[in-house]
C-alpha cells in the first residue's frame, strides 16, 4: 500500500519530473544579469557619482548556469558569443578597461547586495564575499595606437582554480558586431 493517495502520488511524480528537468544541463549556458539596472548604470555612467566610480573603466555582473557542462573551449566560445550579442561598439567608446564577471548561481545568495559596493570599491569589481562562485571573467584593456585594439584576457574557473586562461589582441569589430 502506498503512503500517498493516488492524487498526491501523481502530484509527487510531476514535482520530481520538474526537478529532474531543472537539474539537467542544456547545451548552452543560461546567462542572466545579476542586476540589469546596475549593469546599465555602470556601462553608461548614468546616475553614478564620478567621484566614486571611474568613467574610463567599468564592470558588468552576470550569473551563468550550466557553464561547467561544456568543454572549456565551448564554454569560452559561448561567453564570447554572449558578449558579442550583448554589447555594442558604442558601449566601449568611452572606456579604456571593460570587465565582465560571470558567477555561478547560488541558492540563498543575493549577489546584488554586494555588486554595487564591489564595482565602487574594488579595482576589478570582484564580489570578494563570493569569490568561490566566480565562473569566468573577460577583461578588455584598450591598447595605445591607431584603431580600437584591445588586449582581451579570458579566464574560466572550476572549483576556484583556473581551468583555462587565454589572452589575445583583438579589434573592436572582432569583439562586437554592431
Amino acid at each position: 500500500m502506498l503512503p500517498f493517495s493516488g492524487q498526491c502520488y501523481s502530484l509527487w511524480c510531476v514535482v520530481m519530473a520538474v526537478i529532474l528537468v531543472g537539474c539537467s544541463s542544456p547545451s548552452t549556458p543560461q546567462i542572466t544579469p545579476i542586476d540589469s539596472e546596475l549593469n546599465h548604470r555602470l556601462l553608461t555612467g548614468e546616475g553614478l557619482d564620478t567621484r566614486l566610480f571611474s568613467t574610463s573603466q567599468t564592470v558588468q555582473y552576470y550569473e551563468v548556469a550550466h557553464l561547467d557542462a561544456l568543454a572549456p573551449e565551448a564554454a569560452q566560445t559561448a561567453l564570447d558569443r554572449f558578449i558579442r550579442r550583448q554589447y555594442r561598439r558604442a558601449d566601449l567608446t568611452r572606456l579604456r578597461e571593460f570587465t565582465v564577471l560571470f558567477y555561478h548561481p547560488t541558492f540563498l545568495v543575493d549577489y546584488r547586495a554586494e555588486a554595487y559596493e564591489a564595482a565602487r570599491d574594488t579595482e576589478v569589481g570582484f564580489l570578494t564575499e563570493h569569490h568561490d562562485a566566480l565562473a569566468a571573467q573577460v577583461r578588455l584593456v584598450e591598447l595605445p595606437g591607431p584603431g580600437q585594439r584591445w588586449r582581451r584576457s579570458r579566464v574560466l574557473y572550476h572549483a576556484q582554480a583556473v581551468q583555462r586562461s587565454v589572452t589575445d589582441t583583438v579589434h573592436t569589430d572582432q569583439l562586437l558586431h554592431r
Side-chain angles (χ1 to χ4, degrees), residues 50-125:
T50 56
R51 295 173 296 173
L52 301 174
F53 291 90
S54 172
T55 58
S56 64
Q57 65 186 48
T58 195
V59 64
Q60 300 283 276
Y61 297 99
Y62 293 92
E63 283 186 334
V64 58
H66 310 298
L67 190 66
D68 290 340
L70 301 175
E73 295 81 12
Q76 191 62 68
T77 299
L79 295 177
D80 290 343
R81 201 174 316 123
F82 171 79
I83 289 171
R84 188 170 177 84
R85 284 191 323 261
Q86 188 69 24
Y87 297 100
R88 304 171 321 204
R89 289 183 196 125
D91 294 331
L92 297 181
T93 56
R94 69 174 183 83
L95 299 174
R96 291 184 24 202
E97 293 183 22
F98 180 67
T99 303
V100 184
L101 300 174
F102 299 91
Y103 287 86
H104 292 290
T106 307
F107 291 113
L108 305 174
V109 173
D110 182 8
Y111 294 127
R112 283 187 222 183
E114 190 180 339
Y116 179 87
E117 287 82 12
R120 182 190 66 203
D121 299 338
T122 64
E123 185 177 332
V124 182

